[in-house]
Amino acid sequence: GVLVQGGGTFNMRGGSIVGCTASVGGGVVVQDSGTFNMRGGSIVGCTANNLWGGGIYNRGTTTLSGNAKIQDCTAGYGGGIYSDYYANTLTIENVQITDCTARRNHDSDAMYVSKGTIINGGIFKGNVDNGGIINDGTFHGKVNNADRTQVRGIISGGTFEGNVDNEGAIRGGMVNGTVTNKAGGIISGGTFHGTLTNNGTVDD
């Protein structure tokens, strides 16, 4: 696929990266102060063997917007996107992630994201393992809002058609599936149309 590193910048406005295979980041690897701006085009059918990021492995600065699409990608963790590093930045203004698969962590078929991630929009058809901040977007699979070491997933908005397991914080959004608020999880806002099971804290 494409390796972006050493302060380099890759601006993708169209075209397709198709059928690539690597140990990590089957389609695009961003690392070592690299910057990837995907405003259009697609990453399709790429594979990161059984490791990280079938479509994108982010260890730098990545922004997704416009008509960006990631489809049919496969990895062990983060079938569509894997972004988990203390110095990375992932900003999603808009993207469509569909039909991706994580073979080892099924909670991350669409994405595995952590600190430094902000999701402001997009369509996610597949499970998402979230340790970042979700402000908006439509999520059709299960969302695991995680509480990892020094990283708490936050849901402030968005529409969730599937189930949500919360170990982090839910402050807003609309959930049409069931919500399981696990030990340590905090709910202080939101609209819930399904069953809420609480083993944490519900403030509102």
Side-chain angles (χ1 to χ4, degrees):
V2 178
L3 172 63
V4 189
Q5 64 178 358
T9 298
F10 174 34
N11 294 316
M12 184 174 180
R13 299 182 178 90
S16 298
I17 299 170
V18 182
C20 298
T21 301
S23 296
V24 297
V28 177
V29 173
V30 187
Q31 64 182 21
D32 300 333
S33 301
T35 300
F36 176 36
N37 299 310
M38 186 178 183
R39 301 184 181 98
S42 58
I43 300 171
V44 182
C46 293
T47 302
N49 294 322
N50 285 317
L51 294 177
W52 310 292
I56 299 171
Y57 174 73
N58 179 54
R59 200 171 176 177
T61 300
T62 295
T63 302
L64 306 179
S65 61
N67 296 315
K69 296 180 181 179
I70 302 171
Q71 300 170 290
D72 298 311
C73 293
T74 304
Y77 307 86
I81 300 173
Y82 185 95
S83 184
D84 184 21
Y85 184 60
Y86 70 91
N88 66 359
T89 301
L90 172 64
T91 304
I92 300 177
E93 299 296 338
N94 192 50
V95 71
Q96 291 186 36
I97 301 179
T98 56
D99 300 320
C100 294
T101 303
R103 292 172 176 163
R104 294 188 178 183
N105 177 6
H106 296 297
D107 282 347
S108 65
D109 285 335
M111 293 193 305
Y112 182 103
V113 296
S114 197
K115 185 177 180 180
T117 298
I118 298 175
I119 301 169
N120 292 324
I123 297 173
F124 306 88
K125 294 184 178 179
N127 299 336
V128 172
D129 200 334
N130 176 55
I133 299 172
I134 298 175
N135 292 320
D136 203 356
T138 303
F139 299 81
H140 292 277
K142 174 186 173 185
V143 173
N144 179 46
N145 198 42
D147 185 11
R148 307 187 187 115
T149 304
Q150 297 181 342
V151 177
R152 179 181 285 270
I154 297 172
I155 295 174
S156 293
T159 301
F160 302 84
E161 301 294 348
N163 299 338
V164 175
D165 285 353
N166 181 51
E167 296 177 312
I170 298 176
R171 300 173 181 171
M174 181 174 69
V175 183
N176 293 319
T178 64
V179 176
T180 302
N181 195 35
K182 297 186 175 181
I186 300 171
I187 297 175
S188 59
T191 303
F192 306 95
H193 293 287
T195 301
L196 168 61
T197 301
N198 179 43
N199 294 302
T201 301
V202 176
D203 290 335
D204 193 10

